[in-house]
Amino acid sequence: MPKKENKSSLNLSLLKKGVLIALFGLVLLSPYYRGLYFDYERFLFFAVFWGIAIFFFVAQYFLRQERIIISTIPEWIFIFLVLLYLLNIPLAADKGGAFREFFNYLTFAMFFLLVENLWSSLEDKKWFLLALGLNGIILAFLGIFYQFGWVSPSATPLGMSMRDLFIGGRLHSTFQYPNTTAAYFAMSYIALLTLFLLEKKKSWFLGAIFLSFLSLSGFFFTYSRGGILTLPLALIFLFLLLPRREKIQLAEVLFFSLLVLLLFVSPLENYLVHKDPLFFGFLFSGALILTGVIFLLSKVEEKVASLSNRSLLLGVVSLVGLVVIIFLLALYSDFLPPQLSRRLRDISFTTHSAAERFIFYRDAWRVSFPRLLNGWGGRAWKALYLGYQSAPYFTESTHNFYLQILVEGGLIGLSLIAILLFSLFYPFIKNRHSLPSPDKILIFGVLSLLFMGFTHSFLDVNFSLGAYHFTIWFFAAGVANYLRDYKFSSFPLSFRIHYEFLILLGVVFFVLSILIFQGTNNKIWGDYYAKAGDNDSALYFYQKAARFSFGDAEIHLALSRAWREKFLKEGNPQFREKSKKEAERAHRLSPFYYLYLEQLGVLYVEEGQFEKGLQFLEEAVEKAPLLSSTYEVLVSAYRAVGDFYKSRGEEEKAREYYARGLLVREKFQKNVSHSRKNITESENLQEAFQELSLLLEN
């Protein structure tokens, strides 16, 4: 009997380790697929995740293991956030988008819960830090190899896109944006620093230092000003948490890392720009020099550690002052590479980039104000921002995670995120002196990594990428596991989840992941054929997309346009009716977005329901008042209605609509007068107004 129990226990241990490693595999793989920015890749990863989850739940059920317990504050807050996104769907600005964002948060909540419960199954957590650090370096080298022409832009290994990995003189790697790349590299750098502080074996901690220089170099070649601002804050946060000895080690590493990087960064950039293989010689030489310096310092570590606190404080202050002086001298003496120097000097609140972000932030508050309590639902920003923008721009995100939450979840959502972060960070800060070692160093390193991730998200679109979610919530779950083990966090209410329910939930969302993936894939093919002018093929794929990916307003709009194109070509009124039905579906799902209003308006005008169609087009202008194209469509519609009545000999009726078309100019001028940037009439709009004036004169 004991042998059977031991075997069962061994199988369970292997199962948990295997599932945890599989989940971490998703974390490591996700950046290679454009960071899961697009739904096509994201929902494929979701399908894999739910497949892993189903396997684990079924195994736990048959092994008769204890049910998963929801008991800590982070767990409950995450669940409340998911419920908020679910409850917001019926009244959301974009119901399909709100459902997908609910799907996102439910998936990441389940991911968080699984990792938290499995974290203890792997005793040595240093492998997670090493793997994250190595992953950042591999991603950096992919971009560098692309710059050297060693990676083909047309290559798609395992479906990974290798396009634009290094463009505009900046390292993008496989992420969608260089600033998000910088945030990920900064987190991988902190992971390697934590590994260095954890390890006592010289081979390990010296290897960590060598790799950290490569990671830091990759971070700098993103030329991300937001990253350069937030990484020092994260490192200061780590420094303040660490015990005395580790503080000394970190200060030494950071000082000499920056010193070596400053000495090497100019030739490194020069060789990189000119695609000279000497780049790699200098890069590895810098890493070796830094490793050698740290090795020598480790010989006198005990003597340094024995110094008085006053002496150490004086030493740290001197090092910081020296770093600042060296950095400023390098910056203003043109020692640094021109592009890096220019971007560093450009860090201020008055730059074009900063000014644009402040416009986004201001507009986000304006969007959120009508539904300040609970928000507009997931992905509401894209559906609404054109109606509130104070200057012309196009962006699918507020460029600030917390304002995105405010728009989507209101003050309730923002409060939940604040409580979640507080519950992850504060208990460890409060009890930092009582934590056992080496857990203490690991926890502080992971907290610093999370601090970097959440702080940088004040400035950019990081959480628009699924890969960023996977990385952040994996390590946040690890921290939450320690909260449970040390009994630092408990909610007044605990709840046990039956595995039968989890299996059912997993199956439902696994199927939905596959369906949305298939729908998105078919839409991509439909768009391809539509651009190629093959409307019949486009129509075929759009219809398949609508069947698979229900609730996607964009698919219904594309289908409406394809049916309209078929009607204009063949003249069958049934096709126009189908086009109108699809446009109405898109509008019901997203009633505030101008393109759906515009499509409906055009269809009604073509059908002869002039006033109804013009009403939709007028509303489209209200929902995007700074876009010239909306006015062009509206003026064209007034012109077309006027021409219709003129062809029937009803001159007075025709002149009425021509005159109403001319009044659009006043609407345009009034709306653009509120813009922070100058907007003038487009050539097409000017020409349309001139033609209406001539028609009224004749």
Side-chain angles (χ1 to χ4, degrees), residues 28 52 117 123 169 176 190 200 291 305 350 407 453 499 527 560 591 617 644 667 686:
L28 296 179
I52 294 169
N117 279 270
E123 291 181 9
Q176 187 67 8
I190 292 169
K200 303 305 176 190
T291 306
T350 59
V407 170
Y499 281 113
D527 291 342
S560 174
L617 294 175
F644 170 80
K667 186 190 292 283
Q686 285 180 354

Side-chain angles (χ1 to χ4, degrees), residues 487-500:
K487 296 180 171 55
F488 285 164
S489 172
S490 61
F491 198 77
L493 180 68
S494 63
F495 179 71
R496 293 176 182 270
I497 309 178
H498 290 267
Y499 281 113
E500 295 92 332

Side-chain angles (χ1 to χ4, degrees), residues 674-690:
H674 302 298
S675 173
R676 290 173 170 263
K677 295 179 182 178
N678 185 43
I679 303 174
T680 57
E681 293 176 3
S682 65
E683 289 184 10
N684 289 339
L685 195 55
Q686 285 180 354
E687 187 178 331
F689 286 138
Q690 287 171 3

Side-chain angles (χ1 to χ4, degrees), residues 502-520:
L502 290 174
I503 292 167
L504 178 62
L505 186 74
V507 170
V508 168
F509 282 91
F510 173 77
V511 172
L512 285 174
S513 299
I514 295 294
L515 290 175
I516 294 174
F517 167 73
Q518 287 289 350
T520 307

Side-chain angles (χ1 to χ4, degrees), residues 311-357:
S311 299
L312 285 174
L313 180 62
L314 182 63
V316 169
V317 171
S318 300
L319 279 179
V320 171
L322 190 58
V323 165
V324 171
I325 291 168
I326 292 171
F327 185 75
L328 290 175
L329 286 173
L331 180 60
Y332 290 100
S333 64
D334 293 329
F335 181 78
L336 291 178
Q339 184 171 352
L340 178 60
S341 180
R342 185 169 59 252
R343 290 188 66 83
L344 288 173
R345 292 178 189 177
D346 204 28
I347 294 177
S348 74
F349 293 120
T350 59
T351 62
H352 174 73
S353 177
E356 275 200 336
R357 274 173 169 72

Side-chain angles (χ1 to χ4, degrees), residues 1-13 65:
M1 194 71 176
K3 285 185 179 180
K4 201 169 185 179
E5 286 180 3
N6 289 338
K7 187 176 180 181
S8 177
S9 176
L10 178 63
N11 289 339
L12 180 62
S13 175
Q65 293 301 302

